[in-house]
Amino acid sequence: MMKLQNFFKFFLFTFFITFSYTSFSKENINDNVKKLTLELRCMTCQNQSVYDSDSDFAKDIKKIVKEKFKEGLNEKEIKDFLTERYGEYILFKPYFSSKNLLLWLFPFVLLVISMLVFIRNLKKN
Amino acid sequence: MSSIIGFYSLCLSSIISIIVLIPNSITNIKIKNFLFLCRCSTLFVCISFLSLVFAYVNSDFSNFNVFQNSHSDKPLIYKITGVWGNHEGSILLWLCMISIYGLLYSLISKSLNDFKILVLKIQSALFVIFAMFVIFTSNPFLINSILIKEGLGLNPILQDPALAIHPPMLYLGYVGFSLVFSLAIASLLKKNNDQDWIIETRKWSMISWGFLTAGIALGSYWAYYELGWGGWWFWDPVENISLMPWITGLALVHSLIMIRGEQAIEKWIVFLAILCFSLSILGTFLVRSGILTSVHSFASDASRGLFILLIFFLTTGFGFLVFLIKSPTKKNDLNLLFINKTSALIINNILMIIAVLTILLGTIYPIIIEVITNTRVSVGGPYFNSTVLPILLPGFLLMSVAPVLSWQTNKIQKFKIYVIFFIILSAVVCIQSYFTNFNTWGFIGLILGSWIITASIISIFLRFKFSLSLYYIKIINSFIAHIGVGVMIIGITFSSIYQKEYNFNVTVGDKINIDNVVLKFESIDIVEEKNYQSLRANFLLEKKGQLINYIKPGRNYYPVSKMITTEAGIYHDWLKDIYITLGNNNNDVWFIKIYINPLISFIWIGVFIMIFSSIIAILKK
């Protein structure tokens, strides 16, 4: 009984974490445009994404993104193109790069460390 | 006249509070007189606030603050709420609340006199600091040097019922944590061994947390119907800032539960209490200084920002210094097992604090980068979604069963029933997601939300005999709160992931078929209201040929401030909202955006349940 219980608990934890990285959905250009423009800042608005905004700037960007997708560029290439033009300010989700290492690793490093400390205390008991 | 009364009573109130701070050994004051002085201070600051309200109601434009933020044409309610619709007035409200919290504490608390006096002194010290801030940098009682007959008007987007009560609610939350802060510091300085202060801290942190929840919810509901972006949470810096003390407060409330297992970790509780208030002040600093670009930066001023930064370092520094020097030495051996109630509570606390730190980092990261490298970066929604959510995920999973875990052992009673129900539930959700569009986050959210609800309900039925009484509600209260969270998770998942969006160009008389309903564009109406002009498109909502309701999206034009606000038209239903915003027109062709937001009402229902449960928790002894 105890074993089952423990297994069940572990199962629950791993289940969701592994599951969150698999996806089965099909994607087309419009979905791609939506997904990408949601991650871009409308630079003439107050904290609004390009996708949500109706400003002229946002309309232009949407058009550019769509064209680039049609030309066969992938998400990364389009982002590179846009950041070259407008700076990294346009990305709501900064690149995972050496410069932004602190931003991206901090939460997860903290998580791992605190879990290790927790497990160590657990064993002591 | 009212400005003068207001200013002098504010000064008088601060002077009394300074007198209160003089050590007892010098004045040798009796407790009765001490309390009398405290109450006088509260009375005067209330008079000060009321005289500002009076100036607003009477449209007394000799007051500079009224002149800048009010207009004689406004409806009475917005004249009153205009008091806190600007920086100076809202800080005066904040100040007033610090004092009122002190008063309520002195009336309700049953602590020993020594302890009570200490708490009130710390509270008065906070009061004095903020009073200095009001008097020197944000005085709402400045007199206009020339005679003026009309004011400049209140920002139109603030003229809204939800936003009228949003700031007071939020402030009651933020400022409530000042009392929690005072209690924690007093407990460190006093070193009394009894645990009365923990019980009091529990009550006051619950009250503050409840108000903060209501305040944040009102704010996001406002954002939902006023901004017209179809969503209700945008990870705007100001939203993040209110979320930080909220999550910390939640962690505090949870760790205070541990006294029931007689395992209170005082150190941790004190730490959280100080952190809560520090984050509240930090939030105020970031908003008021105008460092962050946000919809809230209506009053940015560098000197004010500097002053608040000073207050922040003073209080936080003092708080953590006392914490370091006099931190509780009593060591409780925690009964950590895999997995009992103590360890579940600790894991939840750890996850919440990591989430808070992540939000903090993400919010101030652009500032740091700009200072260091002089380039601008943005950290927005997508970042927070991909860091904060995965971190909180195991916590959500844990909360479904946490209340049934035992303090001593790691056995769960009737464990098999939970397993069976979980398997059934997963099967149902799998089948559901097979027949609809599969989405990973949708799947996780749905299974998580419904599992939290199911597990809580099973636990209630297994453990407690049903009876229709307040006592029964009190003992199942933690489950009720968790059901609220479950309902909210389902609402958030559905409304964000399965939201549908349509764009149309329509002329009057057109019919639109979407989602089993028909929308008929009836007319465009322009109506003159008291202080604005409203433009409304009138849509008839029909289902199977029957008229259900009207939806009226539109725009308001405020001539005083020459501003246009969008007003989304929303049809609320339990299962979905139909949300329409009216865009620009080209001759007679109107551009409209229609969002179908499924289950969004669940978010508000969930919030209601959580607030209800916090009220019950306050009543609980």
Side-chain angles (χ1 to χ4, degrees), chain B residues 12-44:
Chain B
L12 196 59
S13 159
S14 349
I15 292 169
I16 298 172
S17 290
I18 293 172
I19 295 172
V20 164
L21 288 179
I22 301 169
N24 258 15
S25 49
I26 301 171
T27 50
N28 219 349
I29 202 166
K30 275 185 192 152
I31 172 87
K32 213 170 132 192
N33 297 333
F34 177 83
L35 288 179
F36 176 73
L37 280 179
C38 286
R39 272 154 215 183
C40 281
S41 167
T42 311
L43 180 71
F44 282 117

mmCIF file of all heavy atoms in Angstrom, chain B residues 12-44:
data_model
loop_
_atom_site.group_PDB
_atom_site.id
_atom_site.type_symbol
_atom_site.label_atom_id
_atom_site.label_comp_id
_atom_site.label_asym_id
_atom_site.label_seq_id
_atom_site.Cartn_x
_atom_site.Cartn_y
_atom_site.Cartn_z
ATOM 1 N N LEU B 12 -1.329 68.531 12.854
ATOM 2 C CA LEU B 12 -1.613 68.240 14.257
ATOM 3 C C LEU B 12 -1.529 66.742 14.514
ATOM 4 O O LEU B 12 -0.913 66.285 15.488
ATOM 5 C CB LEU B 12 -3.022 68.751 14.584
ATOM 6 C CG LEU B 12 -3.376 68.892 16.057
ATOM 7 C CD1 LEU B 12 -2.394 69.859 16.711
ATOM 8 C CD2 LEU B 12 -4.802 69.391 16.209
ATOM 9 N N SER B 13 -2.127 65.983 13.608
ATOM 10 C CA SER B 13 -2.127 64.536 13.745
ATOM 11 C C SER B 13 -0.702 63.982 13.742
ATOM 12 O O SER B 13 -0.365 63.091 14.535
ATOM 13 C CB SER B 13 -2.947 63.945 12.605
ATOM 14 O OG SER B 13 -2.624 62.623 12.403
ATOM 15 N N SER B 14 0.160 64.538 12.857
ATOM 16 C CA SER B 14 1.539 64.028 12.836
ATOM 17 C C SER B 14 2.288 64.419 14.096
ATOM 18 O O SER B 14 3.086 63.637 14.610
ATOM 19 C CB SER B 14 2.318 64.520 11.618
ATOM 20 O OG SER B 14 1.495 65.130 10.702
ATOM 21 N N ILE B 15 2.009 65.626 14.604
ATOM 22 C CA ILE B 15 2.695 66.053 15.827
ATOM 23 C C ILE B 15 2.308 65.137 16.993
ATOM 24 O O ILE B 15 3.167 64.678 17.755
ATOM 25 C CB ILE B 15 2.353 67.522 16.157
ATOM 26 C CG1 ILE B 15 2.987 68.435 15.095
ATOM 27 C CG2 ILE B 15 2.862 67.904 17.546
ATOM 28 C CD1 ILE B 15 2.511 69.855 15.146
ATOM 29 N N ILE B 16 1.006 64.843 17.094
ATOM 30 C CA ILE B 16 0.571 63.934 18.162
ATOM 31 C C ILE B 16 1.263 62.582 18.030
ATOM 32 O O ILE B 16 1.725 61.999 19.005
ATOM 33 C CB ILE B 16 -0.963 63.755 18.139
ATOM 34 C CG1 ILE B 16 -1.643 65.089 18.398
ATOM 35 C CG2 ILE B 16 -1.406 62.737 19.177
ATOM 36 C CD1 ILE B 16 -3.137 65.063 18.220
ATOM 37 N N SER B 17 1.360 62.113 16.774
ATOM 38 C CA SER B 17 2.010 60.815 16.569
ATOM 39 C C SER B 17 3.479 60.853 16.970
ATOM 40 O O SER B 17 4.022 59.857 17.436
ATOM 41 C CB SER B 17 1.898 60.387 15.111
ATOM 42 O OG SER B 17 0.577 60.054 14.828
ATOM 43 N N ILE B 18 4.119 62.009 16.764
ATOM 44 C CA ILE B 18 5.520 62.125 17.186
ATOM 45 C C ILE B 18 5.615 62.086 18.711
ATOM 46 O O ILE B 18 6.484 61.416 19.275
ATOM 47 C CB ILE B 18 6.155 63.424 16.633
ATOM 48 C CG1 ILE B 18 6.250 63.322 15.110
ATOM 49 C CG2 ILE B 18 7.549 63.629 17.219
ATOM 50 C CD1 ILE B 18 6.676 64.595 14.424
ATOM 51 N N ILE B 19 4.666 62.765 19.369
ATOM 52 C CA ILE B 19 4.650 62.741 20.840
ATOM 53 C C ILE B 19 4.502 61.307 21.345
ATOM 54 O O ILE B 19 5.174 60.885 22.288
ATOM 55 C CB ILE B 19 3.494 63.612 21.384
ATOM 56 C CG1 ILE B 19 3.733 65.078 21.011
ATOM 57 C CG2 ILE B 19 3.355 63.463 22.907
ATOM 58 C CD1 ILE B 19 2.580 65.986 21.318
ATOM 59 N N VAL B 20 3.632 60.575 20.667
ATOM 60 C CA VAL B 20 3.387 59.178 21.046
ATOM 61 C C VAL B 20 4.685 58.367 21.020
ATOM 62 O O VAL B 20 4.881 57.438 21.801
ATOM 63 C CB VAL B 20 2.336 58.570 20.089
ATOM 64 C CG1 VAL B 20 2.322 57.065 20.175
ATOM 65 C CG2 VAL B 20 0.961 59.121 20.406
ATOM 66 N N LEU B 21 5.595 58.769 20.124
ATOM 67 C CA LEU B 21 6.817 57.989 19.947
ATOM 68 C C LEU B 21 7.837 58.151 21.077
ATOM 69 O O LEU B 21 8.757 57.348 21.207
ATOM 70 C CB LEU B 21 7.493 58.379 18.626
ATOM 71 C CG LEU B 21 6.798 57.905 17.357
ATOM 72 C CD1 LEU B 21 7.559 58.370 16.141
ATOM 73 C CD2 LEU B 21 6.687 56.392 17.350
ATOM 74 N N ILE B 22 7.676 59.211 21.872
ATOM 75 C CA ILE B 22 8.646 59.444 22.946
ATOM 76 C C ILE B 22 8.636 58.262 23.921
ATOM 77 O O ILE B 22 7.567 57.804 24.324
ATOM 78 C CB ILE B 22 8.299 60.744 23.714
ATOM 79 C CG1 ILE B 22 8.313 61.922 22.742
ATOM 80 C CG2 ILE B 22 9.277 60.978 24.857
ATOM 81 C CD1 ILE B 22 7.732 63.188 23.315
ATOM 82 N N PRO B 23 9.822 57.769 24.271
ATOM 83 C CA PRO B 23 9.873 56.577 25.127
ATOM 84 C C PRO B 23 9.139 56.774 26.457
ATOM 85 O O PRO B 23 9.127 57.878 27.002
ATOM 86 C CB PRO B 23 11.371 56.387 25.373
ATOM 87 C CG PRO B 23 12.032 57.073 24.262
ATOM 88 C CD PRO B 23 11.153 58.183 23.829
ATOM 89 N N ASN B 24 8.564 55.723 26.946
ATOM 90 C CA ASN B 24 7.773 55.779 28.173
ATOM 91 C C ASN B 24 8.581 56.228 29.382
ATOM 92 O O ASN B 24 8.056 56.862 30.288
ATOM 93 C CB ASN B 24 7.198 54.393 28.463
ATOM 94 C CG ASN B 24 5.749 54.339 28.055
ATOM 95 O OD1 ASN B 24 5.291 55.212 27.325
ATOM 96 N ND2 ASN B 24 5.041 53.339 28.524
ATOM 97 N N SER B 25 9.863 55.881 29.382
ATOM 98 C CA SER B 25 10.683 56.190 30.556
ATOM 99 C C SER B 25 10.781 57.698 30.785
ATOM 100 O O SER B 25 10.947 58.158 31.905
ATOM 101 C CB SER B 25 12.084 55.601 30.379
ATOM 102 O OG SER B 25 12.563 55.967 29.105
ATOM 103 N N ILE B 26 10.643 58.472 29.707
ATOM 104 C CA ILE B 26 10.724 59.926 29.858
ATOM 105 C C ILE B 26 9.390 60.512 30.306
ATOM 106 O O ILE B 26 9.302 61.267 31.266
ATOM 107 C CB ILE B 26 11.169 60.590 28.536
ATOM 108 C CG1 ILE B 26 12.537 60.039 28.109
ATOM 109 C CG2 ILE B 26 11.209 62.114 28.661
ATOM 110 C CD1 ILE B 26 12.968 60.460 26.736
ATOM 111 N N THR B 27 8.342 60.145 29.567
ATOM 112 C CA THR B 27 7.054 60.785 29.849
ATOM 113 C C THR B 27 6.288 60.115 30.981
ATOM 114 O O THR B 27 5.459 60.736 31.635
ATOM 115 C CB THR B 27 6.170 60.750 28.598
ATOM 116 O OG1 THR B 27 6.172 59.409 28.109
ATOM 117 C CG2 THR B 27 6.687 61.689 27.540
ATOM 118 N N ASN B 28 6.550 58.828 31.153
ATOM 119 C CA ASN B 28 5.826 58.081 32.176
ATOM 120 C C ASN B 28 4.315 58.181 32.012
ATOM 121 O O ASN B 28 3.570 58.438 32.951
ATOM 122 C CB ASN B 28 6.241 58.581 33.563
ATOM 123 C CG ASN B 28 6.342 57.395 34.501
ATOM 124 O OD1 ASN B 28 5.908 56.290 34.149
ATOM 125 N ND2 ASN B 28 6.909 57.598 35.670
ATOM 126 N N ILE B 29 3.910 57.977 30.795
ATOM 127 C CA ILE B 29 2.504 58.175 30.450
ATOM 128 C C ILE B 29 1.705 56.916 30.787
ATOM 129 O O ILE B 29 2.211 55.797 30.722
ATOM 130 C CB ILE B 29 2.410 58.518 28.942
ATOM 131 C CG1 ILE B 29 1.130 59.245 28.623
ATOM 132 C CG2 ILE B 29 2.554 57.286 28.106
ATOM 133 C CD1 ILE B 29 1.185 59.877 27.242
ATOM 134 N N LYS B 30 0.463 57.113 31.167
ATOM 135 C CA LYS B 30 -0.384 55.962 31.479
ATOM 136 C C LYS B 30 -0.982 55.406 30.191
ATOM 137 O O LYS B 30 -1.178 56.134 29.221
ATOM 138 C CB LYS B 30 -1.514 56.395 32.403
ATOM 139 C CG LYS B 30 -1.123 56.403 33.860
ATOM 140 C CD LYS B 30 -2.326 56.720 34.712
ATOM 141 C CE LYS B 30 -1.902 57.008 36.128
ATOM 142 N NZ LYS B 30 -2.826 57.905 36.809
ATOM 143 N N ILE B 31 -1.310 54.109 30.229
ATOM 144 C CA ILE B 31 -1.838 53.459 29.037
ATOM 145 C C ILE B 31 -3.091 54.161 28.528
ATOM 146 O O ILE B 31 -3.302 54.324 27.341
ATOM 147 C CB ILE B 31 -2.098 51.948 29.292
ATOM 148 C CG1 ILE B 31 -2.834 51.283 28.118
ATOM 149 C CG2 ILE B 31 -2.914 51.706 30.541
ATOM 150 C CD1 ILE B 31 -1.941 50.791 27.053
ATOM 151 N N LYS B 32 -3.910 54.604 29.479
ATOM 152 C CA LYS B 32 -5.170 55.246 29.105
ATOM 153 C C LYS B 32 -4.903 56.512 28.280
ATOM 154 O O LYS B 32 -5.490 56.721 27.217
ATOM 155 C CB LYS B 32 -5.934 55.610 30.374
ATOM 156 C CG LYS B 32 -7.445 55.523 30.238
ATOM 157 C CD LYS B 32 -8.090 55.668 31.597
ATOM 158 C CE LYS B 32 -9.212 56.677 31.547
ATOM 159 N NZ LYS B 32 -9.661 57.031 32.894
ATOM 160 N N ASN B 33 -3.969 57.324 28.785
ATOM 161 C CA ASN B 33 -3.642 58.559 28.080
ATOM 162 C C ASN B 33 -2.956 58.282 26.748
ATOM 163 O O ASN B 33 -3.173 58.980 25.765
ATOM 164 C CB ASN B 33 -2.740 59.440 28.942
ATOM 165 C CG ASN B 33 -3.454 59.847 30.196
ATOM 166 O OD1 ASN B 33 -4.685 59.912 30.214
ATOM 167 N ND2 ASN B 33 -2.699 60.078 31.259
ATOM 168 N N PHE B 34 -2.130 57.239 26.746
ATOM 169 C CA PHE B 34 -1.432 56.855 25.520
ATOM 170 C C PHE B 34 -2.439 56.533 24.416
ATOM 171 O O PHE B 34 -2.349 57.026 23.289
ATOM 172 C CB PHE B 34 -0.546 55.643 25.812
ATOM 173 C CG PHE B 34 0.157 55.117 24.598
ATOM 174 C CD1 PHE B 34 1.335 55.702 24.174
ATOM 175 C CD2 PHE B 34 -0.353 54.042 23.886
ATOM 176 C CE1 PHE B 34 1.985 55.226 23.051
ATOM 177 C CE2 PHE B 34 0.286 53.568 22.764
ATOM 178 C CZ PHE B 34 1.471 54.152 22.352
ATOM 179 N N LEU B 35 -3.429 55.706 24.772
ATOM 180 C CA LEU B 35 -4.432 55.328 23.787
ATOM 181 C C LEU B 35 -5.230 56.544 23.347
ATOM 182 O O LEU B 35 -5.589 56.688 22.174
ATOM 183 C CB LEU B 35 -5.366 54.259 24.361
ATOM 184 C CG LEU B 35 -4.752 52.871 24.521
ATOM 185 C CD1 LEU B 35 -5.766 51.913 25.118
ATOM 186 C CD2 LEU B 35 -4.245 52.337 23.187
ATOM 187 N N PHE B 36 -5.478 57.444 24.318
ATOM 188 C CA PHE B 36 -6.225 58.652 23.988
ATOM 189 C C PHE B 36 -5.481 59.461 22.916
ATOM 190 O O PHE B 36 -6.077 59.933 21.948
ATOM 191 C CB PHE B 36 -6.440 59.494 25.250
ATOM 192 C CG PHE B 36 -7.121 60.798 24.982
ATOM 193 C CD1 PHE B 36 -8.483 60.835 24.677
ATOM 194 C CD2 PHE B 36 -6.413 61.990 25.011
ATOM 195 C CE1 PHE B 36 -9.114 62.037 24.410
ATOM 196 C CE2 PHE B 36 -7.037 63.193 24.737
ATOM 197 C CZ PHE B 36 -8.391 63.224 24.437
ATOM 198 N N LEU B 37 -4.173 59.592 23.098
ATOM 199 C CA LEU B 37 -3.364 60.333 22.126
ATOM 200 C C LEU B 37 -3.430 59.692 20.741
ATOM 201 O O LEU B 37 -3.600 60.361 19.727
ATOM 202 C CB LEU B 37 -1.910 60.410 22.594
ATOM 203 C CG LEU B 37 -1.598 61.462 23.656
ATOM 204 C CD1 LEU B 37 -0.134 61.396 24.038
ATOM 205 C CD2 LEU B 37 -1.958 62.850 23.160
ATOM 206 N N CYS B 38 -3.291 58.351 20.727
ATOM 207 C CA CYS B 38 -3.363 57.630 19.454
ATOM 208 C C CYS B 38 -4.682 57.913 18.748
ATOM 209 O O CYS B 38 -4.732 58.128 17.540
ATOM 210 C CB CYS B 38 -3.245 56.132 19.673
ATOM 211 S SG CYS B 38 -1.591 55.622 20.081
ATOM 212 N N ARG B 39 -5.745 57.884 19.546
ATOM 213 C CA ARG B 39 -7.058 58.083 18.938
ATOM 214 C C ARG B 39 -7.232 59.502 18.428
ATOM 215 O O ARG B 39 -7.868 59.728 17.397
ATOM 216 C CB ARG B 39 -8.150 57.717 19.941
ATOM 217 C CG ARG B 39 -8.473 56.238 19.832
ATOM 218 C CD ARG B 39 -9.021 55.598 21.049
ATOM 219 N NE ARG B 39 -8.501 54.224 21.107
ATOM 220 C CZ ARG B 39 -8.843 53.358 22.028
ATOM 221 N NH1 ARG B 39 -9.667 53.714 23.007
ATOM 222 N NH2 ARG B 39 -8.342 52.151 22.000
ATOM 223 N N CYS B 40 -6.668 60.448 19.157
ATOM 224 C CA CYS B 40 -6.718 61.837 18.685
ATOM 225 C C CYS B 40 -6.056 61.948 17.323
ATOM 226 O O CYS B 40 -6.565 62.590 16.405
ATOM 227 C CB CYS B 40 -5.993 62.766 19.656
ATOM 228 S SG CYS B 40 -6.978 63.150 21.072
ATOM 229 N N SER B 41 -4.901 61.306 17.206
ATOM 230 C CA SER B 41 -4.170 61.348 15.948
ATOM 231 C C SER B 41 -5.028 60.796 14.813
ATOM 232 O O SER B 41 -5.115 61.390 13.733
ATOM 233 C CB SER B 41 -2.879 60.550 16.096
ATOM 234 O OG SER B 41 -2.313 60.337 14.855
ATOM 235 N N THR B 42 -5.678 59.651 15.072
ATOM 236 C CA THR B 42 -6.547 59.061 14.056
ATOM 237 C C THR B 42 -7.678 60.021 13.697
ATOM 238 O O THR B 42 -7.991 60.217 12.521
ATOM 239 C CB THR B 42 -7.152 57.740 14.557
ATOM 240 O OG1 THR B 42 -6.108 56.939 15.079
ATOM 241 C CG2 THR B 42 -7.854 57.006 13.449
ATOM 242 N N LEU B 43 -8.271 60.609 14.734
ATOM 243 C CA LEU B 43 -9.385 61.523 14.521
ATOM 244 C C LEU B 43 -8.961 62.670 13.605
ATOM 245 O O LEU B 43 -9.637 62.993 12.627
ATOM 246 C CB LEU B 43 -9.865 62.069 15.869
ATOM 247 C CG LEU B 43 -11.035 63.042 15.792
ATOM 248 C CD1 LEU B 43 -12.300 62.288 15.415
ATOM 249 C CD2 LEU B 43 -11.223 63.781 17.097
ATOM 250 N N PHE B 44 -7.796 63.249 13.886
ATOM 251 C CA PHE B 44 -7.373 64.410 13.108
ATOM 252 C C PHE B 44 -7.037 64.054 11.665
ATOM 253 O O PHE B 44 -7.345 64.814 10.749
ATOM 254 C CB PHE B 44 -6.195 65.114 13.787
ATOM 255 C CG PHE B 44 -6.633 65.960 14.938
ATOM 256 C CD1 PHE B 44 -6.221 65.690 16.232
ATOM 257 C CD2 PHE B 44 -7.495 67.029 14.724
ATOM 258 C CE1 PHE B 44 -6.655 66.462 17.300
ATOM 259 C CE2 PHE B 44 -7.929 67.815 15.785
ATOM 260 C CZ PHE B 44 -7.511 67.528 17.070
#
